[in-house]
């Protein structure tokens, strides 16, 4: 137990404490921060800035959209894998795991090609007559959402499938024998028993969305600015380490509070059968 505690302290607690300490340095135009100083100026600047409110509004809108789409797709995909047999189940699981074997940036650069005006998506839509001319599928909110959903979907699917695979199919058959339709048996039998997996998938997707960087940076535009992109700008362009650290700490607190509220709501919704 002692080695585990030491590991946790060194790799998790110490970096957070150091980040918090940097956020309390006084900003200075001559360098990253004024060493040896103590100041809450960075927190005051972040909390009273209109930019922070704009970042929060966009991040929440972006995260909610991504979470809803990701959970919907993850539930459908998990159900398909659960009901599949033999080679089909193996292939479906492999398609879920395969994206995890490739670097995130490489995957998103592939989406740059797929979503470009001369890419396959636009070509297929034009040739099939769905659209008359190419659409802008990237460097906007749509492209950012697509990239983030693609990023979070494997994690959400595995979280949901790990719980769904423990459900006895006989319970669903019993519900159908008693007169429940396929949709009703799914929503009243399968879905409630899958709530622990859905709760984990929700939290993971939400956390990925709030801290999103790669998708907005590669597939978005200047309008799709998240907390992570602003932190990078403050650190690498303005060399304002205290404000960047303060923004990071506030983001961390925001995510922790949101996660606690989500778990509380999901536990309340799931009743006594769900404990996460």
């Amino acid at each position: 137990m002692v080695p585990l505690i030491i590991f946790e302290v060194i790799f998790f607690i110490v970096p957070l404490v150091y980040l918090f300490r940097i956020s309390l340095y006084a900003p200075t135009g001559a360098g990253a921060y004024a060493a040896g100083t103590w100041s809450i100026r960075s927190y005051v600047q972040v909390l009273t800035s209109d930019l922070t409110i704009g970042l929060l509004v966009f991040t929440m809108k972006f995260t909610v959209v991504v979470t809803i789409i990701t959970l919907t797709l993850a539930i459908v995909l998990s159900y398909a894998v659960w009901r599949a047999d033999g080679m089909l189940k193996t292939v479906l699981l492999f398609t879920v795991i395969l994206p995890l074997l490739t670097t995130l940036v490489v995957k998103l650069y592939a989406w740059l090609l797929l979503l470009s005006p001369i890419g396959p998506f636009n070509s297929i839509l034009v040739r099939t007559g769905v659209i008359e001319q190419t659409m802008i599928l990237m460097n906007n909110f749509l492209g950012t959402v697509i990239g983030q959903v693609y990023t979070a979907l494997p994690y959400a699917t595995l979280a949901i499938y790990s719980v769904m695979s423990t459900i006895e199919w006989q319970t669903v058959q019993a519900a159908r024998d008693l007169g429940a339709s396929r949709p009703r048996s799914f929503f009243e039998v399968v879905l409630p028993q899958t709530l622990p997996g859905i709760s984990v998938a929700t939290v993971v997707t939400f956390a990925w969305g709030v801290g999103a960087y790669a998708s907005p940076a590669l597939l978005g535009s200047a309008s799709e600015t998240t907390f992570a992109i602003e932190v990078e700008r403050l650190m690498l362009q303005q060399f304002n380490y205290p404000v960047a650290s303060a923004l990071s700490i506030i983001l961390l607190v925001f995510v922790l509070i949101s996660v606690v509220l989500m778990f509380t709501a999901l536990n309340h919704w799931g009743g006594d059968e769900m404990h996460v």
Side-chain angles (χ1 to χ4, degrees):
M1 190 67 179
V2 175
L4 179 60
I5 294 176
I6 295 175
F7 177 85
E8 294 280 345
V9 170
I10 293 176
F11 290 97
F12 294 98
I13 305 301
V14 172
L16 285 177
V17 172
Y18 185 61
L19 180 67
F20 181 66
R21 176 64 185 99
I22 293 177
S23 70
L24 294 176
Y25 282 124
T28 173
Y33 51 81
T37 59
W38 292 86
S39 173
I40 61 170
R41 192 190 315 166
S42 298
Y43 286 96
V44 174
Q45 178 178 336
V46 170
L47 293 175
T48 58
S49 172
D50 292 336
L51 176 61
T52 303
I53 298 176
L55 289 174
L56 181 61
V57 171
F58 171 78
T59 300
M60 286 303 300
K61 179 180 72 172
F62 170 71
T63 303
V64 169
V65 172
V66 167
T67 301
I68 292 174
I69 296 175
T70 301
L71 289 180
T72 302
L73 295 176
I75 291 172
V76 173
L77 185 53
S78 299
Y79 186 83
V81 176
W82 179 46
R83 294 302 304 137
D85 293 317
M87 183 57 69
L88 179 58
K89 179 186 286 288
T90 302
V91 171
L92 289 176
L93 275 175
F94 182 72
T95 58
V96 173
I97 298 173
L98 182 61
L100 302 179
L101 305 178
T102 309
T103 305
L104 176 59
V105 175
V106 173
K107 293 184 292 186
L108 291 179
Y109 269 115
W111 276 102
L112 282 174
L113 301 177
L114 293 173
L115 298 178
S116 68
I118 59 173
F121 285 171
N122 264 306
S123 298
I124 292 173
L125 292 175
V126 171
R127 290 177 181 177
T128 56
V130 176
I131 57 176
E132 295 183 357
Q133 57 184 4
T134 57
M135 298 175 56
I136 300 177
L137 301 176
M138 51 182 286
N139 296 327
N140 54 20
F141 186 75
L142 175 61
T144 307
V145 169
I146 291 174
Q148 193 61 31
V149 168
Y150 179 76
T151 300
L153 183 58
Y155 300 97
T157 302
L158 291 175
I160 295 173
Y161 173 72
S162 65
V163 176
M164 190 177 291
S165 61
T166 64
I167 301 174
E168 294 291 338
W169 178 246
Q170 287 77 5
T171 59
V172 181
Q173 290 180 320
R176 292 180 180 177
D177 291 341
L178 293 173
S181 61
R182 289 178 179 269
R184 184 176 179 182
S185 64
F186 174 79
F187 285 106
E188 295 189 8
V189 179
V190 177
L191 201 59
Q193 296 186 67
T194 315
L195 282 179
I198 294 176
S199 67
V200 173
T202 302
V203 170
V204 170
T205 305
F206 182 86
W208 271 89
V210 171
Y213 172 79
S215 296
L218 295 178
L219 299 174
S221 64
S223 300
E224 286 71 49
T225 301
T226 59
F227 279 98
I229 292 179
E230 180 62 19
V231 168
E232 183 211 32
R233 186 185 69 83
L234 288 168
M235 295 194 71
L236 301 184
Q237 297 182 22
Q238 297 188 6
F239 301 102
N240 196 337
Y241 285 19
V243 174
S245 300
L247 187 60
S248 300
I249 293 294
I250 291 173
L251 173 60
L252 176 61
V253 173
F254 174 73
V255 170
L256 290 176
I257 293 174
S258 301
V259 167
V260 170
L261 292 177
M262 281 191 294
F263 270 135
T264 302
L266 290 168
N267 274 318
H268 178 73
W269 182 29
D272 296 333
E273 297 180 356
M274 176 181 170
H275 299 281
V276 291

